[in-house]
Amino acid sequence: MLATAIGAFAARGYWGTTTTEVAKAAGISQAYVYRLFPSKESLFVAVVEHCFVKVRGALEQAVATHGGGSAETVLHAMGDAYARLISDNDLMLIQLHAQAAAVSEPAVREAVRQGYARLVEYVRGASGGGEAQVQDFFARGMLCHLLVSTGADEVQAPWTRTLSAGITHY
């Protein structure tokens, strides 16, 4: 059910997606959707939380493979894992839609805050990086969102070269 909801919300965002569309895509009744989730908001929050779990899982795999190295090595490995993960446009779109919805939807805002709080603490602990290194890691992640969502790799221009220098995306 969540996988179907991810696809639906990724395509049209929080405001543009109805529970009827999610139910139809999942092959279930809208009543059953409401039996599982009392509101569209709670369904979207569950989707957002699920996506944060997927991100954490990808970072954990990177640490399992490259852990024990310097903070830079571990952060680079986690960054590469994240870049691979957001090549799945649905996951990246959920993150972008969640950030947009967080502006005016308190429950979504709280889910995004809590998701990032857990990720920041995980990245800090797993990498051993300092404040500036962890901040740079997340800033690069946001820059990756911009590069991927705008298809910057398809444009040969000074601005794309500037923004994408040193950043790998898949």
Side-chain angles (χ1 to χ4, degrees), residues 132-149:
Q133 290 172 303
V134 173
Q135 182 187 47
D136 183 65
F137 175 81
F138 282 92
R140 285 179 168 272
M142 295 298 169
L143 183 55
C144 285
H145 286 183
L146 174 66
L147 295 171
V148 172
S149 66

Side-chain angles (χ1 to χ4, degrees), residues 98-164:
Q99 290 170 9
V103 172
S104 61
E105 301 296 326
V108 176
R109 181 181 312 121
E110 188 57 26
V112 171
R113 283 178 179 167
Q114 291 302 312
Y116 274 107
R118 286 188 297 270
L119 283 181
V120 168
E121 292 311 314
Y122 175 74
V123 168
R124 181 191 332 271
S127 71
E131 293 290 317
Q133 290 172 303
V134 173
Q135 182 187 47
D136 183 65
F137 175 81
F138 282 92
R140 285 179 168 272
M142 295 298 169
L143 183 55
C144 285
H145 286 183
L146 174 66
L147 295 171
V148 172
S149 66
T150 61
D153 61 329
E154 301 164 6
V155 178
Q156 295 300 316
W159 73 271
T160 61
R161 286 189 294 278
T162 298
L163 292 181
S164 63

Side-chain angles (χ1 to χ4, degrees), residues 6 9 19 23-24 30 33 35 38 54 68 70 72 77 95 97-98 110 113 118 122 154 163 168:
I6 287 169
F9 282 118
T19 55
K24 184 176 178 181
Q30 185 179 23
V33 170
R35 191 166 179 208
K54 286 181 77 169
S70 68
E72 292 82 12
Q95 292 179 317
H97 289 307
E110 188 57 26
R113 283 178 179 167
R118 286 188 297 270
Y122 175 74
E154 301 164 6
L163 292 181
T168 303

Side-chain angles (χ1 to χ4, degrees), residues 21-153:
E21 291 167 333
V22 173
K24 184 176 178 181
I28 60 176
S29 70
Q30 185 179 23
Y32 190 65
V33 170
Y34 280 111
R35 191 166 179 208
L36 297 172
F37 301 95
S39 65
K40 180 174 93 167
E41 179 182 76
S42 66
L43 173 58
F44 187 71
V45 165
V47 164
V48 170
E49 290 170 346
H50 178 74
C51 288
F52 274 110
V53 167
K54 286 181 77 169
V55 171
R56 168 81 179 249
L59 300 181
E60 287 174 346
Q61 283 184 317
V63 169
T65 304
H66 300 286
S70 68
E72 292 82 12
T73 300
V74 175
L75 288 166
H76 180 75
M78 286 193 288
D80 189 61
Y82 184 71
R84 289 181 191 282
L85 188 64
I86 66 168
S87 68
D88 167 2
N89 282 338
D90 283 356
L91 184 122
M92 183 190 64
L93 286 168
I94 291 298
Q95 292 179 317
L96 294 171
H97 289 307
Q99 290 170 9
V103 172
S104 61
E105 301 296 326
V108 176
R109 181 181 312 121
E110 188 57 26
V112 171
R113 283 178 179 167
Q114 291 302 312
Y116 274 107
R118 286 188 297 270
L119 283 181
V120 168
E121 292 311 314
Y122 175 74
V123 168
R124 181 191 332 271
S127 71
E131 293 290 317
Q133 290 172 303
V134 173
Q135 182 187 47
D136 183 65
F137 175 81
F138 282 92
R140 285 179 168 272
M142 295 298 169
L143 183 55
C144 285
H145 286 183
L146 174 66
L147 295 171
V148 172
S149 66
T150 61
D153 61 329

